[in-house]
Amino acid sequence: MTASTAADAPTPPAGGPAAPPAAAPPVPLVDLQAAHAEVADEVREGFDRVLAAGAYVKGPDVAAFEEEYAALCGTRHCVGTANGTDAVELALRALELPPGGGVVLPANTFVATAEAVVRAGLRPVLVDADPEHLLTDPARVAEVLEADGGAVAAAAAAGTDPRPGRIAALLPVHLNGQLAPMRPLLDLAAAYGLPVAEDAAQAQGAAQDGRPAGSWGRIAATSFYPGKNLGAYGDAGAVTTSHDSLAEAVRLTGDHGSSRKYVHDRFGFTSRLDTLQAVVLRAKLRRLPAWNAARRAAAARYDALLAGLDGVSLPRTAPGNVHVWHLYAVRVLPGRSRDAVLEALHAAGIGAGVHYPVPVHLQPAFRWLGHGEGSFPVAERAARELLTLPLFPQITEAQQVRVAETLAGALDRA
């Protein structure tokens, strides 16, 4: 005997108790199963091909994916890595920056960006975000570069070595699906003679002024963590660049510094893109433009559904950016509790989330940087207010309407 569904349940007798309404299905923050359903056959065929050939490491699918992803980014090279954190570290190591040099990055990023800087033997130099788009703020970058230049001049006047610890590179982060303001950041870097590396983990397929993410800096890193716009079935990442020497350095360092078996030209470690993950990424990459277009349509629908809603401000796209909406994060404004709104959404089956509730400078692991509360007020306010709503290419209008209505009710009670 099978259980009755809500649709075919017997009608209660007249005067009897009414059947309880069926609970609405939950709306996930990200629906990885829906994405998998679109590529399942292609992935299965690819896995069978790899397993039959036994090409588990550096197989032909890795080389093919690297070529295809480089084409998406408009770069000469893509080098696959084991994960996104390794990708940032390898990109920085390839630049051969002075040991202990400072790397400028925003305080409102995932901790992996700062971790990679430290792992590369460098020092994070944090800056605040701009208050409108929450992207790396060129004005704040200019301040730290000016201060650093003053320190170098003072050291030179005193006859001491100005190099140890001075700022050596910029590492802007493309956040939530749109690029940091690259033109002013590149102008600053050129003025101070610094290289730029991009953290493009949240911007696969995004562009600014017609130029793709991952092609603006001398080198760039990305992550293919499952929840990204282009997500693997586990950890994976990549470095993109148009500089032959940098690509070779990344490839060597991520393969034990070896260009020939048992010959190690430089110090390295293991960080290679797995062949099975390359199969998944190739299948998804073919669908990425359509999936990003679906994300943009969903974001526009949220904009319309939430327009004029008291208690929140909506995310904004910076001028020149083609946004790919890795995340759709609203801000719950002062006077209401973001955490109470989040709890109400979860109770109603809405898979909302909070990204980066603790900025990098307030993480216990980075207390040694010497920053306390109030050091980066924009990042700290964003950490208190941001609330990420469900968004994925397959989200339906009905799901978004339910999210919007539930959010409105939660804000009324918060």
Side-chain angles (χ1 to χ4, degrees):
M1 179 177 180
T2 59
S4 298
T5 65
D8 61 14
T11 303
V27 180
L29 180 63
V30 179
D31 193 341
L32 299 180
Q33 290 81 5
H36 173 67
E38 295 190 31
V39 299
D41 291 342
E42 193 171 336
V43 168
R44 188 177 300 108
E45 291 172 3
F47 280 9
D48 289 344
R49 182 179 64 250
V50 171
L51 295 172
Y56 305 127
V57 177
K58 296 191 285 189
D61 279 282
V62 173
F65 172 73
E66 289 177 340
E67 182 177 346
E68 292 158 3
Y69 193 72
L72 175 79
C73 295
T75 58
R76 286 171 51 84
H77 302 283
C78 167
V79 182
T81 65
N83 55 69
T85 310
D86 284 359
V88 178
E89 178 183 354
L90 286 164
L92 293 172
R93 286 184 179 275
L95 293 173
E96 297 184 343
L97 305 173
V103 177
V104 179
L105 65 147
N108 61 322
T109 184
F110 183 53
V111 72
T113 313
E115 286 175 334
V117 170
V118 176
R119 283 172 38 177
L122 303 162
R123 175 177 54 89
V125 177
L126 301 178
V127 295
D128 214 346
D130 81 90
E132 184 174 6
H133 305 105
L134 301 180
L135 299 167
T136 307
D137 191 342
R140 306 288 79 79
V141 174
E143 290 174 355
V144 300
L145 292 178
E146 183 177 354
D148 184 66
V152 170
T160 58
D161 186 356
R163 292 296 304 176
R166 72 168 297 192
I167 291 174
L170 305 187
L171 182 56
V173 176
H174 306 327
L175 199 62
N176 293 354
Q178 65 173 331
L179 277 71
M182 294 306 298
R183 291 195 186 280
L185 291 172
L186 287 174
D187 289 345
L188 284 169
Y192 286 86
L194 302 175
V196 174
E198 302 168 65
D199 182 337
Q202 297 189 12
Q204 290 134 0
Q208 186 172 99
D209 298 335
R211 187 170 169 181
S215 69
W216 283 83
R218 192 176 299 179
I219 198 166
T222 195
S223 166
F224 302 124
Y225 186 77
K228 304 297 187 190
N229 289 40
L230 182 61
Y233 287 177
D235 284 311
V239 173
T240 56
T241 182
S242 289
H243 296 267
D244 298 351
S245 61
L246 295 182
E248 181 65 12
V250 170
R251 195 173 296 281
L252 281 175
T253 305
D255 196 13
H256 295 294
S258 177
S259 58
R260 292 174 293 154
K261 192 170 184 178
Y262 299 131
V263 177
H264 304 274
D265 304 305
R266 62 193 295 157
F267 180 82
F269 53 92
T270 308
S271 184
R272 299 179 295 238
L273 176 62
D274 181 83
T275 305
L276 292 175
Q277 300 299 350
V279 168
V280 175
L281 292 170
R282 293 189 72 196
K284 288 189 171 186
L285 182 58
R286 285 187 268 275
R287 294 161 175 81
L288 184 64
W291 284 354
N292 281 343
R295 286 175 178 271
R296 281 191 286 272
R301 189 178 296 126
Y302 270 140
D303 287 347
L305 290 169
L306 302 175
L309 183 62
D310 287 340
V312 296
S313 66
L314 306 186
R316 299 176 182 176
T317 301
N321 273 344
V322 176
H323 208 310
V324 294
W325 296 102
H326 172 58
L327 301 175
Y328 188 95
V330 301
R331 300 181 70 158
V332 178
L333 300 178
R336 291 172 171 84
S337 167
R338 187 271 311 278
D339 293 343
V341 172
L342 178 66
E343 184 178 352
L345 290 173
H346 285 174
I350 305 299
V354 173
H355 286 78
Y356 320 142
V358 180
V360 171
H361 67 289
L362 298 180
Q363 293 287 351
F366 284 93
R367 285 179 183 150
W368 58 275
L369 291 177
H371 302 295
E373 290 191 20
S375 298
F376 304 103
V378 175
E380 292 171 28
R381 180 180 174 186
R384 294 190 300 268
E385 295 179 353
L386 284 175
L387 178 68
T388 306
L389 302 181
L391 191 148
F392 44 91
Q394 300 81 12
I395 195 168
T396 66
E397 181 176 359
Q399 286 175 313
Q400 289 190 266
V401 168
R402 185 174 162 220
V403 171
E405 292 175 347
T406 307
L407 176 60
L411 286 166
D412 286 342
R413 297 187 296 273

